[in-house]
Amino acid sequence: MAKNKNKGKPRNYALDSGVYRFSASKMFHKKAIHKFLKKTVAKKPADKKPVFVEKKIKGDKNGGTRMVRVKKLTNNVPTMDVKTCILHTKRKSVFSKHSRKLRPSLTPGVVAIILAGVHKGKRVVVLKQLETGLLLITGPLKLNGCPLRRINQRYLLATKTSINVSGVKVPETINDKYFARVKSDNKVKKDGNIFENKKEDYKPSEQRKADQASVDKQVLEAIKKHPQGAALKSYFKAGFGLNKG
Amino acid sequence: MAPKSGRLYAKGVFTGFKRGLRNQHENTALLKVDGCAGQEDARWYIGKRCVYVYKAKNKTSVPNSKEKSQLRCIWGKVTRPHGNAGSVRAKFRRNLPPQAMGCRVRIMLYPSRI
């Protein structure tokens, strides 16, 4: 090796104009980078993924199979963005998932006044809140003719009188389904019977009567135990009304 | 709650429409509720439904009943208090007819907040 005259001097330097003296390719040769470059490894051929996949066609119509692309084409855009789809379904608040609130004055055992409906003006006992948020009330039937019924909180005026109904066990079967309207089985033929609207009067089923009796029995006992039991009985019998003064 | 007279509704009177001195706005009615003395009393009535009941010559059908009747009604609700003396503003589904001024309006006790 010849004596390196350039020792100490930089290989590349800037000229007055600011440009460097030697280009990148010259520097490649000057620095002998070819000695330091690693040899490239031969490219491994990538595992060939199938472009098309055979998929079975479900349903009666076609039978057999069809070829589906593994990687969707870029111009294959769905009609509705998946994200917005999910957003929309998440935003829909289903009634069954609504949060049910209960006014603090309408706890089980409270005597409330019904403000509207067939039984308006009657004082009834609140038993519990059902799944849909409606309240289960009972007259009791013997005292004021109001049966086990569902009613919306908004139509009840709570009083400060309450009965201890912790001992009253309302059967688990009494829920919203119990009160659902019974669909009539009339399969109307087109003969002309359509115009005869037979509105059958509501008759309480035996199940209802039995449940009513069992719940009322417990409620009446609770009323008896109340310090003002006797007075309460007549309280229930009387209706509510606004009066002068 | 001040004592009032009536059944399951409070008695009220339709005193007029919401108005300035020279212009009136018929979409809002002013009701004077019996026994309601000040703005605090009036606040109890906010949201309560109210009805103007009246009779007409021709009989019209009644919901849930076969018989027709001459009674008709316009439903509405109390929206806010009006003034300092216990009056209340109400909006009805259709505006109240001016002949109802001075006539009875029933203010129901529901939707209850108690």
Side-chain angles (χ1 to χ4, degrees), chain B residues 11-99:
Chain B
K11 289 200 219 170
V13 177
F14 169 41
T15 57
F17 297 116
K18 175 180 161 213
R19 57 181 301 168
L21 184 56
R22 296 181 175 95
N23 302 307
Q24 72 178 12
H25 304 282
E26 297 89 6
N27 48 23
T28 309
L30 303 178
L31 307 179
K32 177 89 194 96
V33 187
D34 257 17
C36 184
Q39 216 183 53
E40 281 179 37
D41 289 350
R43 278 206 195 103
W44 191 88
Y45 292 98
I46 296 179
K48 301 285 182 284
R49 301 233 289 169
C50 42
V51 222
Y52 167 58
V53 187
Y54 61 104
K55 286 190 188 165
K57 185 192 167 208
N58 291 331
K59 290 199 174 181
T60 48
S61 52
V62 176
N64 279 336
S65 138
K66 279 184 193 171
E67 290 174 16
K68 296 195 174 187
S69 98
Q70 289 185 316
L71 278 180
R72 296 184 193 180
C73 54
I74 304 179
W75 284 90
K77 66 158 91 149
V78 173
T79 53
R80 51 179 284 192
H82 179 81
N84 299 322
S87 273
V88 124
R89 293 191 204 180
K91 278 197 160 201
F92 287 80
R93 284 195 200 156
R94 318 258 25 214
N95 295 343
L96 285 185
Q99 51 254 44

Side-chain angles (χ1 to χ4, degrees), chain A residues 217-236:
Chain A
K217 201 176 163 193
Q218 298 173 61
V219 175
L220 283 167
E221 271 177 35
I223 293 174
K224 257 193 199 176
K225 284 185 193 170
H226 197 270
Q228 288 144 343
L232 266 182
K233 271 197 176 176
S234 39
Y235 184 60
F236 278 108

Side-chain angles (χ1 to χ4, degrees), chain A residues 53-71:
Chain A
V53 168
E54 234 187 271
K55 284 204 172 171
K56 265 195 177 174
I57 299 172
K58 293 177 190 171
D60 306 326
K61 286 192 181 174
N62 300 316
T65 57
R66 62 182 178 122
M67 303 302 282
V68 177
R69 279 180 178 270
V70 173
K71 264 193 188 177

Side-chain angles (χ1 to χ4, degrees), chain A residues 28 32-42:
Chain A
F28 183 91
I33 291 173
H34 61 272
K35 288 185 188 175
F36 304 105
L37 275 180
K38 284 189 181 169
K39 286 181 184 169
T40 52
V41 182

